[in-house]
Amino acid sequence: MEQTKNSVKLEVVAALIWRDGKFLICQRPANKKRALLWEFVGGKVEQGETKEQALIRECQEELAFSVTPTDVYMEVTHVYPDVTVHLTLFNAKSYGEPQKLEHNDITWITPAEIDDYEFCPADVDILNKLKKDKK
């Protein structure tokens, strides 16, 4: 996909966290862009942060949840009308229970349940890979 001239480019990280055959997804708040769509937990990489540091911080801020990123599961670039997102999805280990601090909802789903949720467009290729990998 081509980046538009006026588009802001964002470096974003997210966590693929598994528990008992299910992975964690979060529903975006109603007051944000792409409202109420589902996504992986994560967020923007800030100036001076590594991707791993950003992921640890975002999980703490959004879910009061500690994670340890391990390896990269997949990277994608997606062009939205307002922003181009380069998303790095890390496999991550988690500690404790996630708390709904910022999201509208959080839940654990199996790859077979992916089609029951409406996800952010940037996650589509990742979700297709998850469905394929878990067959």
Side-chain angles (χ1 to χ4, degrees):
M1 287 186 169
E2 255 185 31
Q3 184 172 332
T4 59
K5 287 179 189 162
N6 299 329
S7 184
V8 177
K9 185 156 193 205
L10 285 183
E11 198 62 46
V12 177
V13 290
L16 178 56
I17 302 166
W18 290 94
R19 183 180 291 173
D20 301 325
K22 296 182 175 192
F23 64 94
L24 182 67
I25 60 171
C26 304
Q27 189 178 37
R28 292 180 64 81
N31 63 343
K32 288 204 170 174
K33 290 192 176 177
R34 291 162 277 289
L36 303 179
L37 294 180
W38 290 86
E39 64 183 359
F40 299 95
V41 63
K44 294 188 255 330
V45 178
E46 301 291 347
Q47 185 90 26
E49 277 184 323
T50 66
K51 290 180 180 183
E52 291 84 354
Q53 289 168 332
L55 187 59
I56 292 165
R57 177 185 51 76
E58 287 284 352
C59 289
Q60 196 62 50
E61 287 175 4
E62 294 182 0
L63 299 172
F65 195 50
S66 296
V67 300
T68 302
T70 55
D71 58 327
V72 173
Y73 179 76
M74 190 173 176
E75 291 185 61
V76 297
T77 299
H78 185 82
V79 180
Y80 288 106
D82 58 323
V83 66
T84 298
V85 175
H86 178 256
L87 170 63
T88 304
L89 181 69
F90 285 89
N91 284 304
K93 294 180 180 158
S94 62
Y95 310 92
E97 281 301 314
Q99 297 171 44
K100 194 171 55 177
L101 301 180
E102 186 176 308
H103 292 92
N104 190 60
D105 201 3
I106 55 176
T107 193
W108 299 85
I109 67 168
T110 65
E113 295 171 305
I114 288 170
D115 293 337
D116 297 341
Y117 295 84
E118 190 176 350
F119 283 86
C120 291
D123 293 334
V124 169
D125 290 344
I126 293 167
L127 295 162
N128 287 335
K129 179 173 167 44
L130 272 170
K131 288 192 273 192
K132 197 174 117 202
D133 288 352
K134 295 297 172 183
K135 281 197 172 172

